[in-house]
Amino acid sequence: MVSSQKLSGGGEFGASGTVEIGDNVFIEMNAIMERNVKIGNNVIIGAGSVVTKDCKENSVYAGVPAKRIMGIDEFFMKRRDKQLDEAKLLAK
């Protein structure tokens, strides 16, 4: 069993890979992308999420590990409705 300490040869081993990010992607604060994942076009990644698998386009992902929670169209409709309610409260 190997611990997090240096190996007897004095070296430390890491891992590398790539992350592909499509167009029109919004990644919120403190989100982490693990190596070798692909994020499609028109994707929102929620704050603090950990992306461990590919994210298909036109979707919203959140959580640890990140999961698809809704389509982008559904998100925009919910956000539009909520924004109207918020504006009414602020106007009072």
Side-chain angles (χ1 to χ4, degrees):
M1 185 159 129
V2 178
S3 70
S4 61
Q5 299 173 2
K6 288 185 178 182
L7 299 175
S8 61
E12 292 183 15
F13 295 97
S16 63
T18 61
V19 174
E20 291 183 42
I21 300 175
D23 294 326
N24 198 32
V25 171
F26 182 70
I27 301 171
E28 294 188 18
M29 189 183 316
N30 296 325
I32 297 170
M33 300 332 117
E34 289 195 354
R35 62 190 168 119
N36 302 322
V37 296
K38 189 177 198 178
I39 299 171
N41 297 327
N42 307 312
V43 170
I44 297 173
I45 306 291
S49 297
V50 178
V51 177
T52 60
K53 297 181 181 177
D54 292 351
C55 298
K56 72 179 197 175
E57 63 182 28
N58 301 312
S59 300
V60 178
Y61 286 81
V64 179
K67 294 186 180 353
R68 184 179 187 274
I69 57 173
M70 69 181 74
I72 202 77
D73 292 334
E74 181 183 355
F75 171 78
F76 282 129
M77 286 187 291
K78 284 184 174 185
R79 188 64 221 139
R80 181 196 63 209
D81 296 343
K82 197 170 190 177
Q83 182 177 348
L84 184 57
D85 292 340
E86 291 167 351
K88 287 176 185 177
L89 286 174
L90 289 172
K92 289 183 180 183

